[in-house]
Amino acid sequence: MKIGYFLSSEEYTPAQLIEQARMAEDAGFDGLWISDHFHPWNDEQGQSAFVWSAIGAVSQVCELPVTTAVTCPTVRIHPAVIAQAAATSAVLLNGRFRLGIGTGEALNEHVLGTVWPTVDVRLEMLEEAVEVMRRLWTEEGFVSHHGKHYTVDTARIYTRPKEPLPIYMSGFGPEATDVAARIADGYITTSPDAELVDRFRTNGGGSKPTQAGFKVSYAPTEAEGIEQAHRIWGNSGLPGELAQVLPSPRHFEQASQLVTKEATAKSVTCGPKADDHVDAFTPYVEAGFDEIYVANMGPHSVDMMNLYRTEVLPELRRRHP
């Protein structure tokens, strides 16, 4: 089992993301996730750096593999442009890059005025986007594509890695998980759902890698950790498909008023105790994930990294070699 660190583009400045990447390598993490957002979930998070610039900078300060968790190559950015961005990232990272993709959220994708498609159409678009990107990474000469959703006219990516990029796809329900098992090289999710992991593997995923990520709220006290988790990431407690369909940070702030501080305290590991942080991984380990990524909420990243370097990561590796 590999343990990685999750860089939250919604909460931290570009300089903070780069410093966290460097610290994660020093602390002994095995890899990095990085989120891709046009908007944060709410104004309290307050950031939204362009992920491809951040990846380029991260490539210069650490040697860890990087996975986008996740980018949406269908609406806001054409898949041919994502293919170029991902290829450049893979070159900068000397092949240590995996393109994590998903069907996206209206929060980020509606900004050009495009109608937000239904989930079945979004999955159809994503599958065509994967076809476009793989052709641009593998075919010699110029590529043209005239599909249902995308057109590519005599395009060629000149700067690309020697090997085709692996594509990991997120799946938060059965339909998306089945598509991921069929078209992707790996699986991404944020829920310790053993049934979906098994579904991915039995419906075509086989031994392909599976990744999951979650957030903790390190703070000097449990009470402070709960307060900052609830204030900054209360949206994480929203149920169902709200995360995919609400269009703006303002709407997430309104909906998050229904999430109580008590609910946050029950769902998020908060505070400074190493044992609590170790135990937070247990549901994901038991679900059978190959790689687990943890993000921190709030301003105490340095202390969180120190705790993980000295206590949490050694204990996790002792328990799960």
Side-chain angles (χ1 to χ4, degrees), residues 108-127:
N108 302 306
E109 304 304 319
H110 80 284
V111 296
L112 301 183
T114 305
V115 173
W116 185 233
T118 58
V119 65
D120 56 328
V121 174
R122 300 202 307 270
L123 285 168
E124 185 180 84
M125 294 171 71
L126 190 63
E127 187 164 358

Side-chain angles (χ1 to χ4, degrees), residues 10 22 24 45 61 65 75 86 135 139 151 171-172 192 242 279 290:
E10 309 95 303
R22 187 194 62 76
Q45 292 168 6
V61 300
V75 178
R135 288 189 62 194
E139 293 187 15
T151 297
F172 302 123
L242 287 176
D279 291 343
D290 301 305

